[in-house]
Amino acid sequence: MDALFGWSWLIIAFPLLGFLINLVSTGQTRERTVGIVASAAAAASFGASALVFAALLARPAEARLVEISLYRWAAVPPLAVEVGLRLDPLSTAMALIVTLVGTLIHIYSIGYMAGDPHIRRFFMFLNLFLASMLLLVLADNFFLLFVGWELVGLCSYLLIGFWFEVPYNAWAGRKAFIVNRIGDFGFTVGLLLLFWTFGTFRYGPVFEAVERGAVEAGLLTLITLLLFAGVTGKSAQIPLYVWLPDAMAGPTPVSALIHAATMVTAGVYLIARAHPLFAAAPLTQGVVVMVGAATALWAALIAAGQFDIKRVLAFSTISQLGYMVAAAGAGATTAAIFHLGTHAFFKALLFLGAGSVIHALEHAHHHGGGSGPFDPNDMRRMGGLARRMPTTAWTYGIGAAALAGIPPLAGFWSKDEILNALRGTAGWSALAYGLLLAAAFLTAFYMTRQVWMVFAGAPRSPEAAHAEESPAVMTAPLGIFAFFSIVAGWINAPGLGLLAAWLEPGHPPAFHPEQAALATLIALAGVGAGWAIYRPQAWPAGVEDPLQKALGAFFTALNRKLYVDEVYDALFVRPFQGLARAVATVVEPYGIDGAVNGLARLVGMAAARARRWSSGYVRQYGLSVLFGAVFLLLYVLLMLR
């Protein structure tokens, strides 16, 4: 079995190979063939991940760390960068999640993207996205992780703005890229400081030095805070979460991949991977916990005021990432990864389910189900879809219940473990616990609101009345994700604790009945509130949203995302644009160009005067020689004095 470790690089190579095959394929390649090649590459990566996982599982717990050195990338003393892989319980668990979810999303995309003229480019980028995330996860040093970190940022830009013909989509891609660059600036400085402190980027020596106490706490605090700046960008935490709602501009499978298996989970993985660093910096841990908890509540509040089906899910992802970040900051690594895994299944299910709904409404609109302008994402134009799309409706309901934390579905177990990690604490952690409980109520409320708006009651548009169920290539992945949304939570349920035994042997998950009961009551209260407000009898067709009517201006603020984008625009975007215009209209033409052009004119004037001595007349050249001789004679006489 150990021989398999030498082939572990294939986990990354397979999706990269799919990218290259589609890159060199001709324009005549059938679109289904392109999708099959990309999906097969993702599936092969999952198979390789499963084999490596099995090989690691066969080893005793104390020997489940294998480092594979592939080649030396750079050697400029004292810097030496190796391209190597670190195979341990954390990286292999992440690789399994990424490749399994990624494969199903690839398969779903074959149906969703059918007929798109740029489908080859889409699957190329999707494969590259998967390979980049796997490089990030399996890297054995911080520098190589950073390479994967930046590559997933590039792929998100390419895929969010995939339909760049629409100006908003191109703008959304740029916004995601720029906001992440802000966080990555802090991350880059943190990496440089880390190398300056430890003299290496490799995890092993860095963690060993920290455990020996060889680095002062203040320096570790600074390093971890800078690394966390990158986390706030990639994992969409306050204050850099603003890119993720606009990332919905990309095709729905892209949204699912970003939210469930790649990109946003990178920050959570970084905290878990660098746990020894964060554990040695208590101040940073407190900051991480509070930022995560505040983000969870803030985003859940905004989600309750959205009408776009995908935007509700986007803010939901931001909120659930807050749970994971808070858990990782509190040192509950298993709880964070557990929720990351269960969330990957039910959030992928919800996004793909939303894609199924959007696909059906667009199809109905294009085939005479409606006329005039139409937004297929607007939940106010849906309703009654449970009868038209039963498979999508049932699977979506399972995903919504799992996200809401209804037992015994997956989200209940993983969210409960996070709450247990913060339960009974004091100070800031106690406040974080309260914020997460409030977020749990809002989560159950806004998901109930969404389910009732989309699937219950009477159709609110001709498109909803004529919608048809999506093809099997799209609904089959929904069924698989629904299955995992039901059973995945049991992998770390009390009494089994398989994930805890894998990640942290000897630390089984705790179960507190009173905590579980409290979380269940809060979730049921949220469901009840959503049902009371949005059930068909309380909200007849053609009537304004009841919550909008009740909350008035506050609902408008929620719908406008509490005006954070407007504040950022006023404080940062417009001043920067003004500065850029000033540089372009004043500094550039009169400063930079003025200096360059002035020097050019000066040289030109000197050349024009010198050109007069190149007349071709012998008498002028003789006079020049005479002047030169006299000058040299005077110089010699002065030197001899």
Side-chain angles (χ1 to χ4, degrees):
M1 293 288 283
D2 284 359
L4 289 171
F5 296 130
W7 296 94
S8 56
W9 55 272
L10 288 173
I11 297 173
I12 304 170
F14 279 130
L16 193 58
L17 179 63
F19 165 79
L20 293 173
I21 291 174
N22 282 329
L23 176 64
V24 301
S25 63
T26 65
Q28 302 300 319
T29 304
R30 293 179 58 195
E31 64 178 39
R32 186 172 292 274
T33 303
V34 170
I36 290 172
V37 168
S39 301
S45 181
F46 171 68
S49 300
L51 289 174
V52 171
F53 173 82
L56 209 61
L57 183 63
R59 288 186 159 209
E62 64 275 7
R64 288 173 181 164
L65 171 58
V66 179
E67 292 184 315
I68 308 294
S69 180
L70 299 178
Y71 64 92
R72 173 162 289 188
W73 184 4
V76 184
L79 173 65
V81 179
E82 299 280 346
V83 174
L85 307 181
R86 182 183 177 97
L87 308 174
D88 64 2
L90 178 59
S91 64
T92 51
M94 284 292 298
L96 281 174
I97 294 170
V98 170
T99 53
L100 175 57
V101 174
T103 298
L104 293 173
I105 291 173
H106 274 70
I107 295 171
Y108 174 97
S109 300
I110 295 174
Y112 189 88
M113 296 298 292
D116 191 286
H118 305 295
I119 190 170
R120 185 165 67 100
R121 174 163 57 91
F122 174 83
F123 277 108
M124 283 168 48
F125 292 162
L126 216 60
N127 268 171
L128 184 61
F129 207 172
L130 199 62
S132 302
M133 186 65 188
L134 290 168
L135 176 65
L136 184 158
V137 165
L138 296 173
D140 74 341
N141 62 80
F142 283 101
F143 190 87
L144 197 58
L145 177 146
F146 184 68
V147 173
W149 185 277
E150 291 303 303
L151 282 173
V152 296
L154 169 65
C155 292
S156 69
Y157 164 74
L158 294 172
L159 286 166
I160 292 169
F162 179 77
W163 288 318
F164 56 84
E165 298 88 351
V166 179
Y168 169 75
N169 298 341
W171 172 85
R174 290 197 304 271
K175 181 178 181 180
F177 192 81
I178 292 170
V179 171
N180 272 276
R181 296 291 70 70
I182 295 170
D184 289 353
F185 175 78
F187 191 12
T188 304
V189 175
L191 285 183
L192 294 175
L193 185 58
L194 182 143
F195 180 78
W196 178 78
T197 303
F198 296 97
T200 180
F201 286 115
R202 294 191 64 233
Y203 296 143
V206 170
F207 298 158
E208 289 169 7
V210 172
E211 290 167 0
R212 290 197 314 268
V215 183
E216 61 176 289
L219 192 54
L220 285 175
T221 298
L222 181 57
I223 291 172
T224 49
L225 284 174
L226 288 168
L227 295 180
F228 183 62
V231 174
T232 62
K234 278 291 184 292
S235 288
Q237 299 295 286
I238 292 173
L240 299 181
Y241 69 90
V242 291
W243 68 271
L244 192 55
D246 293 295
M248 301 304 98
T252 297
V254 173
S255 304
L257 195 60
I258 289 175
H259 287 251
T262 61
M263 187 71 170
V264 297
T265 60
V268 179
Y269 173 78
L270 173 64
I271 301 175
R273 172 55 72 200
H275 171 68
L277 288 173
F278 284 83
L283 176 61
T284 303
Q285 284 188 299
V287 171
V288 173
V289 169
M290 284 309 303
V291 168
T295 302
L297 181 59
W298 182 265
L301 193 62
I302 296 175
Q306 301 303 308
F307 292 121
D308 186 305
I309 185 173
K310 288 171 63 178
R311 188 156 286 185
V312 172
L313 299 179
F315 279 104
S316 170
T317 297
I318 297 170
S319 180
Q320 297 307 304
L321 287 167
Y323 276 89
M324 300 174 211
V325 167
T333 301
T334 298
I337 298 300
F338 184 28
H339 196 51
L340 185 154
T342 60
H343 177 265
F345 293 125
F346 55 71
K347 187 52 62 70
L349 168 59
L350 291 169
F351 265 110
L352 298 186
S356 178
V357 168
I358 294 167
H359 182 271
L361 294 180
E362 288 180 331
H363 189 270
H365 182 74
H366 293 152
H367 289 78
S371 59
F374 172 67
D375 181 3
N377 290 31
D378 192 340
M379 297 188 296
R380 293 169 294 185
R381 300 293 303 272
M382 299 178 187
L385 291 177
R387 292 185 294 275
R388 305 291 306 177
M389 308 177 68
T391 302
T392 299
W394 276 105
T395 54
Y396 201 95
I398 291 170
L403 173 57
I406 302 299
L409 302 179
F412 164 76
W413 296 110
S414 56
K415 197 178 294 185
D416 187 67
E417 192 165 330
I418 291 175
L419 293 172
N420 278 332
L422 295 171
R423 176 178 174 271
T425 53
W428 291 109
S429 295
L431 175 58
Y433 175 75
L435 295 177
L436 293 178
L437 286 178
F441 170 83
L442 288 171
T443 302
F445 171 78
Y446 67 66
M447 288 311 301
T448 304
R449 171 180 181 263
Q450 185 181 63
V451 169
W452 281 102
M453 288 182 75
V454 174
F455 296 105
R460 296 188 179 85
S461 68
E463 290 83 1
H466 293 86
E468 296 179 358
E469 185 61 272
S470 298
V473 71
M474 294 173 64
T475 56
L478 296 182
I480 296 172
F481 279 128
F483 170 76
F484 282 113
S485 298
I486 295 170
V487 306
W490 293 96
I491 194 174
N492 208 47
L496 290 176
L498 298 179
L499 183 63
W502 178 247
L503 295 177
E504 297 180 285
H507 297 82
F511 182 72
H512 300 281
E514 64 278 12
Q515 168 58 50
L518 175 62
T520 302
L521 287 174
I522 288 174
L524 292 176
V527 171
W531 175 82
I533 296 174
Y534 287 96
R535 70 187 192 278
Q537 298 88 338
W539 186 30
V543 177
E544 182 184 25
D545 185 309
L547 192 64
Q548 182 177 13
K549 184 178 180 181
L551 298 181
F554 183 62
F555 183 91
T556 302
L558 293 179
N559 184 254
R560 296 290 298 273
K561 300 172 284 186
L562 292 173
Y563 301 107
V564 172
D565 279 331
E566 286 80 356
V567 172
Y568 282 7
D569 187 66
L571 293 179
F572 305 112
V573 178
R574 277 183 284 171
F576 184 82
Q577 289 175 337
L579 177 63
R581 280 192 294 269
V583 169
T585 57
V586 179
V587 177
E588 177 73 20
Y590 298 107
I592 299 173
D593 285 350
V596 173
N597 294 335
L599 181 61
R601 284 193 293 270
L602 180 62
V603 172
M605 291 170 59
R609 291 184 177 277
R611 190 165 54 246
R612 296 176 183 176
W613 292 94
S614 301
S615 62
Y617 294 113
V618 175
R619 63 178 179 274
Q620 191 171 1
Y621 295 156
L623 184 61
S624 299
V625 171
L626 177 62
F627 283 156
V630 171
F631 175 79
L632 287 174
L633 180 61
L634 291 174
Y635 176 77
V636 171
L637 292 174
L638 289 173
M639 293 297 294
L640 291 175
R641 290 183 59 185

